[in-house]
Amino acid sequence: MTKIGIMGGTFDPVHNGHLLLAKQACTEYVLDAVWFMPSGQPPHKRDRVVSDSSHRCAMVKLAIAGEPAFAFSDFEVSRKGSTYTAETMELLKASCPDHKFYYIIGADSLYEIEKWYQPERVLASVSFLVADREYAGEHRPLNDQITYLTERYHACIQKLHCCEMAVSSDEIRHAIRLGQPVDDYVPRAVREYIDSHHLYRL
């Protein structure tokens, strides 16, 4: 059975942290490939304007160029209306029954996953690989969060033994609006695309 990692998200923009997690997942769990799957209209981000999917998809394609184990997938972005991870993974599994899927996420997403649409369906539909990052104060330790979700939802959650890059797409967009450099956070080709299309300036 082919082992496929799924990197989902708005990728607005895609950044080096996404690539770092994907590479670690490939190495640590011997995945055959990682599919980068930009979302369509994410229902949890209706409070802000998400960049047009053509830009987000173009940046993902530039970011993964030259990485033979990485592939672009329009499976979600091509669907109309709001897209939910639960539905996406169920449809994906039905269309690719010979694949074993692993959903790759950062630790922050694991703490928020019960706020996702029908989290019980999400956690039942796919195995999760989560970045090993601890948060102080407001969150329980990551191992405790994994244990809690495993026991409550019978989820399969395994850790990626690499730390998340301490940057988010929100922070990158904010830095660009302020005219600050982002070269350390996004691939050069992505930064050039952002500049040439004047993204995130307003």
Side-chain angles (χ1 to χ4, degrees), residues 16 26-27 58 84 157:
N16 292 335
C26 267
T27 301
Y84 297 95
I157 304 168

Side-chain angles (χ1 to χ4, degrees), residues 3-7 17-36 69-70 101-106 127-132 158-163:
K3 297 168 65 177
I4 303 294
I6 300 294
M7 284 289 299
H18 298 129
L19 303 177
L20 178 67
L21 286 186
K23 289 177 181 177
Q24 180 64 21
C26 267
T27 301
E28 188 170 350
Y29 289 93
V30 198
L31 303 182
D32 295 291
V34 173
W35 295 355
F36 282 71
F70 294 172
F101 291 105
Y102 298 82
Y103 205 89
I104 303 166
I105 59 173
S127 298
F128 279 81
L129 303 179
V130 57
D132 187 2
Q158 298 167 280
K159 289 203 296 187
L160 289 171
H161 294 91
C162 70
C163 293

